[in-house]
Amino acid sequence: MVLTEAAPEGLPKQRSRWPFYVCLGLLACVVAYVLLFKVPEWRNDEKLARLEERVSMFPLPPDTEPGDRGVEGTVGIQSDNSNHCDYLVRISLLTKLPDAEIARYYEFAAIEGVEGRALSGTVYVNPSGSWRGGFKGVIVEFFDGYHEPGFDMRCH
């Protein structure tokens, strides 16, 4: 004699809950990643954007006009070894001023850095000579370094 049990017809079949828990776990991992790593990057990108804005608002010296590249910024390790954040903002200009005069103008520029420290610019003159109409190309860099990196992976 073989006994078999038949499932009662009136009871619904119970569903497995493991797909729900797997999706919930994946969502928790994504949220943790964003909170730990992306939010610090976004915060440092915002600081860099404000520094770029202050550099672009600084008045140009006489006989100088913006170059072809405009304002460019970078956040991450720019000097020495790891575990600090550096901010570098670079502008390209065309000028008729002598090298010493343009260097002196940006050496005494007081642009507010990421944490309020005054920054001066470093000028690099294009060694190939003059361009159209007596203008020559220069690059001016504003460096603000050695800030706390937090969890921004670009700074480690």
Side-chain angles (χ1 to χ4, degrees):
M1 174 158 132
V2 177
L3 294 175
T4 59
E5 280 189 32
E9 301 294 326
L11 295 175
K13 190 174 180 181
Q14 210 171 21
R15 291 184 176 170
S16 175
R17 293 185 184 238
W18 71 267
F20 171 75
Y21 291 120
V22 168
C23 289
L24 191 62
L26 288 173
L27 181 64
C29 289
V30 168
V31 168
Y33 172 78
V34 167
L35 290 176
L36 283 176
F37 299 110
K38 295 310 276 182
V39 169
E41 283 183 19
W42 296 335
R43 208 171 50 228
N44 286 339
D45 287 343
E46 176 62 28
K47 290 177 185 178
L48 177 65
R50 282 189 253 132
L51 180 58
E52 288 175 346
E53 183 179 344
R54 287 190 295 274
V55 167
S56 66
M57 298 300 290
F58 192 75
L60 296 177
D63 294 327
T64 303
E65 59 187 49
D68 56 348
R69 295 190 151 241
V71 178
E72 299 174 332
T74 307
V75 63
I77 298 172
Q78 306 293 321
S79 66
D80 293 333
N81 291 330
S82 63
N83 209 26
H84 67 276
C85 257
D86 299 326
Y87 300 85
L88 178 68
V89 176
R90 175 181 296 127
I91 57 174
S92 64
L93 302 172
L94 297 173
T95 187
K96 290 183 177 179
L97 295 177
D99 298 350
E101 191 173 336
I102 188 97
R104 189 172 33 259
Y105 182 83
Y106 282 104
E107 180 183 336
F108 294 110
I111 294 178
E112 182 182 344
V114 172
E115 293 179 0
R117 177 175 55 200
L119 301 178
S120 61
T122 303
V123 176
Y124 300 96
V125 179
N126 184 354
S128 65
S130 64
W131 291 15
R132 60 173 169 79
F135 283 93
K136 62 184 162 200
V138 296
I139 301 290
V140 183
E141 291 184 346
F142 293 90
F143 177 78
D144 195 0
Y146 305 102
H147 295 281
E148 179 64 34
F151 285 108
D152 189 340
M153 290 289 107
R154 300 172 293 183
C155 303
H156 288 278

